[in-house]
C-alpha cells in the first residue's frame, strides 16, 4: 500500500480533482449569471377559423384551454397541497396524491381546464408560493349550442386537428398554413343550415323518437332548387363540449355514413324511370291478387307478397296504395340492364360528393354479379336488395322536384377570410338530366295524390300542396340472416309546394317499438316538420291573412354588445347581437339554447374582470 501512495501519484490525483472542481464551479457560476431561458412550444400556435350557420350564428369558435402540471419532488407538503388544489380541479384529494406520488419529475394533474379554473390555480399558487406548478396553454374549441347538428359540425381534438364532420373535412380551410402564413389566412366556414330552424326540427325529432321508442332518427330538409341543406338531424347526438363522454352511436353521422334498404319510398324512382323508358303510361292497368309471382323457364320461381289484394290499379294507384305486386309487374316492363343503369344515373351506388367525411356509396347489384337472381329486379323495385344513404335519397328526389335534373347537395354556404371577404360562395351545381320533365311531373303528381287519398294522408297540410311517399322496410337480421320480424325502418319522402317545388324533406325512423307503419308514425312528423319549415321561411300559405303596411321599413342599427367596466344587460339580445363577444380574448361566453337571451349569469351591473365567464340562456 505504501508503494502505491507515492508522492508523484498523490500530486497528480489532487491536481485532477482540483481541475474538476474548478470546472464545476465555473459552469455553475456561468449558469447562475445568465437569465433563465423561456420554454417555447416547438410548434407555432395559430388561431383556427370559426364555423357559423348561414346567417352568422356561431357553431364552433376558438378558445384556449390549459394543462395544469406539477413537479412533485419540489412539493414540500403533499398532503396540504393536494387538499387545497383538489376542489379547484374538481378532483378528490386521493386522486391528486395518487398522481404526484407516481413520479418525482413531472406529471399533469388535469388537462383542458378553462381559463377560470387556471386563474384560480394561479391565485392559489401566488398565495402559497407554489413555484412548482406549470400552465400549458393549448388551442381549444367551444361549441355554443352543445348537441345542435353535432355530427355535421364535427369535433376538434386535443391536438388542434379536426376529427369528424366539417371540423375534419375542412381542416385545411379552418387551420391556416403555419409554414407560410401569407399563403393562406385564417378562414371561417358558414354552413347552409339555419340554427333556429335546426333547433326547432331537432326538438321535433327528439319528441318523435321518444313517442315511437325508436333507436335512431334522421331528418334532412334541403332546398331543392339550390341543393343547400337547411336542416341536418341525426339522432342520437352528442354534446360537442363533452365529446369524450359520448358513445359510438352518438357520434355516427347517419345521413352520410349509414347505408340501409329504404323500402317502398324507392317506388317513386322505379315508376319514374320505367315511365321515362316508356315502359308504362298513365292509363295502363295492372291486376294485384296479393302477390307478385313469376316462373322462369329454368324452373325458378319468384313470389313477393303484397299487403292487400288491390285488384286493378294504374301506376298512380300503385304508388297511392304502395302495391308490391304491381311495382314488380312495372319493373318487368324494362330489361335488367336498363333498370340498373337508370338507378345508377339517379345517383345510387355512388357518393353524392357532399362536403362530409366517410360518406357511404351504398350498394347497387350488378346484373352480372353472382348475387343477382330472378327476384333481384322486382325486389329492388320495391326498395329492398339495394342499400342507400339518406343523402342519396334526397339528391335523387331533387330530380323529381326540378323537372328531371338533380342538384348536388351541399352543407357549405360560403367561406370568408378573417376580415369578412368572401373566399367561396355556394352556387347550385346541376347534374345531367336523369328524367324528362314530363316523367318527373308525373311522379310528383302521383306523390300529391298519395298525400290526398293514399298511404301518406297523415302528412296532408291543407293550405300548402305537398307530395309524399311512405315506406316501411324490414331490416336485415345480422345474426340469423334474412329479415327481422321485429326491426323495421320507417321513412317518408316529401316535396313541397307541388306547383313550384322548393323543399325536399326526408325523415327516417329506425327500430320503432310498437307501431312501425311509416304512414302512421312518420307521415305525421313530416306534416309537423313541413309546417315549421313553411312558417320559418315565410312561404306562402293558402290561409294566410292579408295585412296592410304603410311601406315604411325601419332597419335596426344595433352594432352588438360591448363590454365596459360592468357586465351589460343581455336580455332580449339575439345570437347575432352576441357574435362580437365570441371573438374577444378577455372573456369566455357560453350560450345555451337558441333565440333570444332570457337570463344571464353574472347579473347585469356586475364588475367586469379579465377572462371572466358569462353564461347566457336563450329561448
Amino acid at each position: 500500500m505504501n508503494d502505491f501512495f507515492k508522492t508523484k501519484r498523490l500530486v497528480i490525483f489532487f491536481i485532477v480533482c482540483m481541475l474538476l472542481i474548478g470546472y464545476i464551479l465555473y459552469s455553475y457560476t456561468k449558469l447562475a449569471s445568465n437569465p433563465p431561458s423561456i420554454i417555447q412550444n416547438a410548434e407555432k400556435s395559430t388561431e383556427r377559423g370559426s364555423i357559423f350557420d348561414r346567417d352568422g350564428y356561431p357553431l364552433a369558435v376558438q378558445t384556449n384551454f390549459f394543462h395544469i402540471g406539477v413537479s412533485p419532488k419540489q412539493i414540500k407538503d403533499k398532503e396540504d397541497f393536494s387538499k387545497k388544489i383538489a376542489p379547484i380541479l374538481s378532483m378528490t384529494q386521493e386522486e391528486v396524491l395518487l398522481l404526484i406520488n407516481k413520479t418525482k419529475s413531472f406529471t399533469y394533474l388535469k388537462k383542458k381546464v378553462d381559463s377560470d379554473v387556471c386563474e384560480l390555480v394561479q391565485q392559489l399558487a401566488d398565495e402559497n408560493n407554489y413555484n412548482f406548478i406549470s400552465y400549458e396553454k393549448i388551442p381549444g374549441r367551444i361549441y355554443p349550442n352543445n348537441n345542435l347538428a353535432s355530427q355535421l359540425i364535427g369535433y376538434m381534438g386535443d391536438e388542434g386537428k379536426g376529427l369528424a364532420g366539417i371540423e375534419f373535412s375542412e381542416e385545411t380551410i379552418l387551420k391556416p398554413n403555419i409554414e407560410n402564413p401569407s399563403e393562406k389566412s385564417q378562414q371561417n366556414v358558414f354552413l347552409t343550415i339555419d340554427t333556429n330552424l335546426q333547433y326547432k326540427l331537432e326538438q321535433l325529432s327528439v319528441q318523435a323518437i321518444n313517442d315511437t321508442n325508436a333507436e335512431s332518427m334522421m331528418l334532412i330538409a334541403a332546398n331543392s332548387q339550390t341543393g343547400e341543406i337547411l336542416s341536418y338531424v341525426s339522432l342520437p347526438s352528442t354534446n360537442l363540449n363533452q365529446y369524450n363522454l359520448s358513445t359510438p352511436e352518438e357520434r355516427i353521422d347517419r345521413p352520410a355514413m349509414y347505408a340501409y334498404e329504404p323500402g317502398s319510398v324507392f317506388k317513386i324512382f322505379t315508376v319514374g324511370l320505367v315511365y321515362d323508358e316508356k315502359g308504362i303510361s298513365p292509363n295502363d292497368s295492372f291486376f294485384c291478387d296479393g302477390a307478385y309471382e313469376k316462373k322462369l323457364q329454368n324452373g325458378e320461381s319468384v313470389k313477393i307478397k303484397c299487403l292487400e289484394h288491390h285488384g286493378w290499379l294504374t301506376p298512380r294507384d300503385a304508388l297511392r296504395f304502395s302495391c308490391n305486386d304491381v311495382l314488380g309487374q312495372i319493373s318487368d316492363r324494362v330489361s335488367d340492364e336498363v333498370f340498373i343503369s337508370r338507378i345508377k344515373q339517379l345517383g345510387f351506388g355512388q357518393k353524392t360528393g357532399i362536403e362530409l367525411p366517410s360518406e357511404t356509396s351504398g350498394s347497387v347489384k350488378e346484373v352480372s354479379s353472382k348475387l343477382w337472381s330472378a327476384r333481384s329486379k322486382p325486389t329492388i323495385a320495391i326498395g329492398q336488395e339495394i342499400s342507400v344513404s339518406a343523402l342519396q335519397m334526397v339528391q335523387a328526389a331533387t330530380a323529381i322536384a326540378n323537372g328531371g335534373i338533380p342538384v348536388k347537395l351541399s352543407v357549405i354556404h360560403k367561406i370568408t377570410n378573417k376580415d369578412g371577404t368572401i373566399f367561396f360562395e355556394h352556387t347550385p351545381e346541376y347534374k345531367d338530366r336523369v328524367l324528362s320533365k314530363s316523367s318527373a311531373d308525373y311522379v310528383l303528381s302521383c306523390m300529391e295524390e298519395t298525400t290526398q287519398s293514399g298511404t301518406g294522408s297523415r302528412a296532408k297540410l291543407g293550405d300548402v300542396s305537398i307530395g309524399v311517399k311512405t315506406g316501411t322496410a324490414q331490416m336485415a337480421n345480422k345474426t340469423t340472416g334474412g329479415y327481422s320480424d321485429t326491426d323495421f325502418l320507417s321513412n317518408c319522402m316529401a316535396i313541397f309546394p307541388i306547383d313550384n317545388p322548393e323543399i325536399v324533406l326526408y325523415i327516417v325512423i329506425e327500430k320503432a317499438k310498437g307501431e312501425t307503419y311509416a304512414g302512421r308514425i312518420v307521415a305525421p312528423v313530416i306534416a309537423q316538420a313541413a309546417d315549421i319549415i313553411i312558417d320559418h321561411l315565410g312561404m306562402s300559405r293558402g290561409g294566410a291573412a292579408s295585412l296592410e303596411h304603410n311601406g315604411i321599413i325601419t332597419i335596426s342599427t344595433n352594432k352588438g354588445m360591448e363590454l365596459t367596466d360592468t357586465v351589460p344587460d343581455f336580455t332580449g339580445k339575439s345570437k347575432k347581437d352576441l357574435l362580437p363577444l365570441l371573438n374577444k380574448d378577455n372573456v369566455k361566453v357560453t350560450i345555451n339554447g337558441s333565440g333570444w337571451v332570457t337570463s344571464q349569469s353574472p347579473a347585469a351591473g356586475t364588475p367586469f374582470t379579465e377572462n371572466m365567464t358569462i353564461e347566457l340562456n336563450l329561448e
Side-chain angles (χ1 to χ4, degrees):
M1 292 293 292
N2 290 335
D3 290 339
F4 180 80
F5 288 107
K6 292 182 179 180
T7 304
K8 185 176 180 181
R9 287 182 176 178
L10 288 172
V11 171
I12 294 173
F13 174 75
F14 282 115
I15 291 173
V16 171
C17 288
M18 292 300 291
L19 289 173
L20 182 60
I21 293 171
Y23 175 75
I24 292 173
L25 290 172
Y26 169 77
S27 300
Y28 178 79
T29 304
K30 184 178 179 181
L31 287 172
S33 61
N34 290 332
S37 59
I38 299 173
I39 300 175
Q40 295 181 336
N41 292 331
E43 187 176 345
K44 297 178 182 178
S45 177
T46 55
E47 187 176 353
R48 188 178 181 87
S50 297
I51 301 175
F52 301 95
D53 83 338
R54 64 186 302 112
D55 295 321
Y57 290 154
L59 302 173
V61 293
Q62 183 76 6
T63 188
N64 290 306
F65 292 113
F66 298 86
H67 292 341
I68 307 298
V70 294
S71 300
K73 66 180 180 180
Q74 297 181 26
I75 305 175
K76 295 179 180 179
D77 189 340
K78 294 182 180 179
E79 289 282 344
D80 183 64
F81 169 71
S82 60
K83 183 178 180 181
K84 290 178 179 177
I85 200 169
I88 298 176
L89 298 178
S90 299
M91 299 171 67
T92 64
Q93 183 178 0
E94 290 73 22
E95 288 173 332
V96 176
L97 280 172
L98 183 63
L99 287 171
I100 61 181
N101 285 328
K102 272 186 177 180
T103 180
K104 292 183 179 181
S105 56
F106 178 83
T107 186
Y108 285 112
L109 292 183
K110 196 159 190 179
K111 293 185 175 182
K112 287 192 70 177
V113 304
D114 59 33
S115 58
D116 288 344
V117 174
C118 184
E119 187 177 341
L120 291 174
V121 174
Q122 288 176 323
Q123 185 179 340
L124 177 70
D126 293 340
E127 291 173 353
N128 295 273
N129 197 27
Y130 291 156
N131 56 4
F132 47 78
I133 303 179
S134 67
Y135 316 87
E136 183 182 345
K137 186 177 180 180
I138 62 167
R141 210 71 160 154
I142 290 178
Y143 300 95
N145 300 285
N146 298 324
N147 291 61
L148 192 83
S150 61
Q151 294 94 343
L152 172 60
I153 297 167
Y155 176 73
M156 188 193 81
D158 292 346
E159 302 300 320
K161 294 183 179 180
L163 300 180
I166 290 297
E167 290 276 34
F168 177 82
S169 65
E170 301 305 307
E171 175 73 17
T172 57
I173 296 295
L174 293 167
K175 189 173 182 180
N177 185 340
I178 60 174
E179 298 299 327
N180 183 12
S182 62
E183 184 178 305
K184 184 182 289 185
S185 62
Q186 169 202 338
Q187 293 174 319
N188 298 320
V189 175
F190 290 73
L191 302 184
T192 56
I193 66 169
D194 181 309
T195 299
N196 290 327
L197 179 61
Q198 178 77 18
Y199 176 76
K200 294 173 185 176
L201 293 178
E202 280 199 15
Q203 292 298 104
L204 174 66
S205 300
V206 169
Q207 184 63 49
I209 208 171
N210 290 336
D211 290 344
T212 59
N213 292 312
E215 287 192 7
S216 64
M217 179 170 171
M218 295 179 275
L219 182 154
I220 298 177
N223 185 314
S224 61
Q225 298 172 357
T226 66
E228 290 194 329
I229 291 179
L230 304 178
S231 183
Y232 191 96
V233 179
S234 178
L235 297 177
S237 60
T238 179
N239 184 340
L240 293 174
N241 294 304
Q242 299 175 344
Y243 195 77
N244 60 317
L245 302 179
S246 62
T247 65
E249 284 292 310
E250 291 171 338
R251 299 174 188 173
I252 297 175
D253 179 3
R254 293 180 177 277
M257 300 170 63
Y258 180 50
Y260 58 92
E261 293 177 308
S264 295
V265 173
F266 197 80
K267 292 173 181 176
I268 58 175
F269 304 118
T270 298
V271 169
L273 71 88
V274 177
Y275 187 94
D276 206 54
E277 288 289 328
K278 304 188 185 314
I280 56 174
S281 66
N283 295 322
D284 284 348
S285 191
F286 302 84
F287 186 76
C288 167
D289 59 2
Y292 168 85
E293 294 185 85
K294 185 177 182 181
K295 290 186 178 180
L296 305 182
Q297 293 180 349
N298 60 8
E300 185 179 359
S301 62
V302 178
K303 184 174 183 179
I304 300 174
K305 292 182 180 180
C306 190
L307 293 176
E308 301 285 346
H309 291 68
H310 293 110
W312 290 101
L313 298 176
T314 64
R316 182 184 301 275
D317 293 330
L319 285 180
R320 186 160 60 100
F321 297 118
S322 201
C323 178
N324 290 342
D325 186 355
V326 172
L327 260 294
Q329 295 178 56
I330 287 175
S331 71
D332 285 335
R333 294 292 183 94
V334 294
S335 68
D336 296 354
E337 290 77 12
V338 168
F339 184 71
I340 293 302
S341 174
R342 295 301 298 266
I343 284 175
K344 289 182 177 180
Q345 286 178 21
L346 284 163
F348 297 105
Q350 56 194 288
K351 298 178 181 180
T352 65
I354 200 168
E355 308 92 341
L356 287 169
S358 304
E359 184 187 3
T360 181
S361 299
S363 177
V364 176
K365 285 185 179 180
E366 296 289 349
V367 177
S368 58
S369 168
K370 293 180 180 179
L371 298 175
W372 186 269
S373 68
R375 67 178 295 117
S376 291
K377 184 171 62 172
T379 305
I380 294 172
I382 62 173
Q384 304 220 232
E385 280 195 42
I386 182 174
S387 67
V388 304
S389 72
L391 290 173
Q392 288 174 338
M393 291 290 284
V394 172
Q395 184 164 278
T398 65
I400 297 174
N402 291 331
I405 302 175
V407 60
K408 183 179 179 180
L409 299 180
S410 176
V411 291
I412 295 182
H413 180 56
K414 65 180 178 180
I415 298 172
T416 69
N417 292 326
K418 190 173 182 179
D419 61 3
T421 304
I422 296 177
F423 172 77
F424 163 84
E425 191 165 17
H426 173 263
T427 55
E429 183 178 333
Y430 295 101
K431 296 178 173 290
D432 293 337
R433 179 179 288 280
V434 295
L435 296 171
S436 66
K437 187 175 187 309
S438 60
S439 298
D441 290 346
Y442 174 70
V443 174
L444 193 58
S445 68
C446 292
M447 292 176 69
E448 182 180 21
E449 194 157 330
T450 299
T451 311
Q452 296 300 322
S453 58
T455 59
S457 60
R458 298 192 184 192
K460 191 187 304 182
L461 298 178
D463 57 354
V464 174
S465 58
I466 182 172
V468 304
K469 181 68 189 81
T470 61
T472 308
Q474 285 181 286
M475 299 183 68
N477 189 321
K478 296 180 181 179
T479 303
T480 62
Y483 288 99
S484 170
D485 293 327
T486 57
D487 295 338
F488 293 87
L489 185 140
S490 312
N491 59 141
C492 184
M493 181 72 72
I495 299 174
F496 60 91
I498 293 295
D499 53 346
N500 182 28
E502 293 182 45
I503 302 294
V504 171
L505 174 62
Y506 183 51
I507 296 178
V508 181
I509 295 178
E510 186 181 10
K511 294 185 180 180
K513 305 298 186 296
E515 179 62 71
T516 59
Y517 185 55
R520 295 192 180 99
I521 67 172
V522 188
V525 184
I526 283 283
Q528 292 174 290
D531 265 330
I532 290 171
I533 293 169
I534 291 166
D535 289 341
H536 184 84
L537 298 181
M539 297 169 65
S540 176
R541 305 196 77 127
S546 298
L547 300 176
E548 291 187 1
H549 194 276
N550 60 12
I552 301 175
I553 301 174
T554 303
I555 300 175
S556 173
T557 57
N558 190 346
K559 296 181 179 179
M561 302 298 297
E562 293 294 334
L563 295 174
T564 55
D565 296 334
T566 60
V567 176
D569 185 0
F570 294 97
T571 305
K573 298 297 180 182
S574 68
K575 274 190 181 178
K576 197 165 187 179
D577 296 329
L578 305 174
L579 184 58
L581 296 180
L582 298 174
N583 295 321
K584 292 184 180 296
D585 297 327
N586 62 341
V587 64
K588 176 185 174 183
V589 179
T590 302
I591 300 175
N592 302 317
S594 185
W596 289 265
V597 178
T598 57
S599 62
Q600 66 182 76
S601 177
T606 302
F608 176 72
T609 58
E610 193 76 7
N611 295 321
M612 77 183 304
T613 297
I614 299 175
E615 184 174 3
L616 304 173
N617 300 308
L618 283 67
E619 291 182 5

